[in-house]
Amino acid sequence: AQSVTQLDSQVPVFEEAPVELRCNYSSSVSVYLFWYVQYPNQGLQLLLKYLSGSTLVKGINGFEAEFNKSQTSFHLRKPSVHISDTAEYFCAVSDALGDFGNEKLTFGTGTRLTIIP
Amino acid sequence: DGGITQSPKYLFRKEGQNVTLSCEQNLNHDAMYWYRQDPGQGLRLIYYSQIVNDFQKGDIAEGYSVSREKKESFPLTVTSAQKNPTAFYLCASNPTGPGLPTPDTEAFFGQGTRLTVV
């Protein structure tokens, strides 16, 4: 079984400043990793995912994340945030064994990113 | 356009009543999921189904029931046995199959249903 830890429940950041949202995972097998964004009263939208290959993954809206296997981390970064980035961000993990989709996603508790004008 | 549709967006229920939340997808995905979201707790898996006429309990299945009679549909019933049903419910789907996922394979989420018990 896997688990995901998002250490920061809330992160306030000034507009145009850089941001890093932290995610650590625990698993005894290889994993796929995901970051989702949720705007108020809406579903989740995929920002980016790590499946294999390059450990630096680029996603939508200028976000990127780096998979670090030795530190079991998948931190999300953006060099300059905008007001429109205010949302809740979820890190998720699934086992990378067998057929894709047969292993369900395990989510972290989320990080609320607030951009200060 | 393909996607997942959840209805209704807002739902009110009296205590002791059962209520069914709808989830329909036209993405031709085999796997479908129901999650419950509470403040500060992230998403918790209620039930999931990887094929028609088959489904499995997730982490918090007590007080809920599902059916999967069609590939496109995965309705969730919140029964009177669910002690604290007020929450935001999210439905998701993704394709399944052998081998590594492609860059296009991901879980798609509906817009959610906010259930309030009054």
Side-chain angles (χ1 to χ4, degrees), chain A residues 32 34 36 38 41-46 49 51-52 88 90 98-110, chain B residues 9 33 35 37 40 42-43 45 48 50 88 90 94-98 100-103 105-107 109-111 114:
Chain A
Y32 301 135
F34 307 82
Y36 286 87
Q38 184 181 35
N41 292 313
Q42 293 191 27
L44 274 65
Q45 180 183 4
L46 184 70
K49 59 190 174 189
L51 305 178
S52 66
E88 188 142 21
F90 291 93
D99 295 347
F100 179 73
N102 290 342
E103 297 296 333
K104 57 190 184 295
L105 287 169
T106 298
F107 286 87
T109 52
Chain B
K9 190 171 177 65
Y33 309 79
Y35 293 90
Q37 186 178 18
L43 279 71
L45 184 66
Y48 63 106
Q50 292 169 340
F88 190 54
L90 285 162
N94 65 255
T96 63
L100 279 174
T102 73
T105 48
E106 64 188 63
F109 283 81
Q111 294 299 293
R114 186 166 297 280

Side-chain angles (χ1 to χ4, degrees), chain B residues 7 10-12 26 32 36 48 62 80 98 111 113 116:
Chain B
S7 60
Y10 298 96
L11 188 58
F12 296 88
N26 61 1
M32 296 187 74
R36 171 181 170 138
Y48 63 106
E62 185 175 351
S80 56
Q111 294 299 293
T113 294
T116 303

Side-chain angles (χ1 to χ4, degrees), chain B residues 42-96:
Chain B
L43 279 71
R44 293 181 290 169
L45 184 66
I46 304 172
Y47 267 99
Y48 63 106
S49 167
Q50 292 169 340
I51 196 169
V52 173
N53 292 323
D54 187 45
F55 47 83
Q56 289 78 40
K57 292 182 178 179
D59 301 318
I60 55 165
E62 185 175 351
Y64 300 96
S65 66
V66 293
S67 63
R68 188 84 186 277
E69 297 176 1
K70 298 186 300 182
K71 187 175 186 177
E72 303 79 18
S73 179
F74 191 41
L76 173 74
T77 297
V78 185
T79 74
S80 56
Q82 169 51 235
K83 299 302 180 190
N84 186 22
T86 295
F88 190 54
Y89 291 87
L90 285 162
C91 179
S93 73
N94 65 255
T96 63

Side-chain angles (χ1 to χ4, degrees), chain A:
Chain A
Q2 324 98 317
S3 66
V4 179
T5 302
Q6 291 183 248
L7 292 169
D8 306 306
S9 60
Q10 297 189 54
V11 174
V13 180
F14 285 104
E15 194 172 14
E16 297 184 6
V19 68
E20 178 180 85
L21 305 183
R22 296 180 292 170
C23 173
N24 288 87
Y25 69 91
S26 172
S27 177
S28 58
V29 299
S30 298
V31 296
Y32 301 135
L33 292 156
F34 307 82
W35 274 100
Y36 286 87
V37 60
Q38 184 181 35
Y39 300 102
N41 292 313
Q42 293 191 27
L44 274 65
Q45 180 183 4
L46 184 70
L47 275 177
L48 48 79
K49 59 190 174 189
Y50 170 79
L51 305 178
S52 66
S54 173
T55 57
L56 183 62
V57 180
K58 293 188 184 297
I60 63 171
N61 302 341
F63 284 94
E64 64 180 33
E66 186 158 17
F67 171 54
N68 187 320
K69 188 174 181 180
S70 62
Q71 296 186 7
T72 60
S73 68
F74 191 55
H75 301 330
L76 181 70
R77 302 186 183 98
K78 186 170 182 178
S80 175
V81 296
H82 188 265
I83 287 286
S84 60
D85 293 323
T86 295
E88 188 142 21
Y89 292 79
F90 291 93
C91 182
V93 63
S94 70
D95 282 345
L97 294 177
D99 295 347
F100 179 73
N102 290 342
E103 297 296 333
K104 57 190 184 295
L105 287 169
T106 298
F107 286 87
T109 52
T111 297
R112 184 170 299 279
L113 177 62
T114 302
I115 308 303
I116 306 165

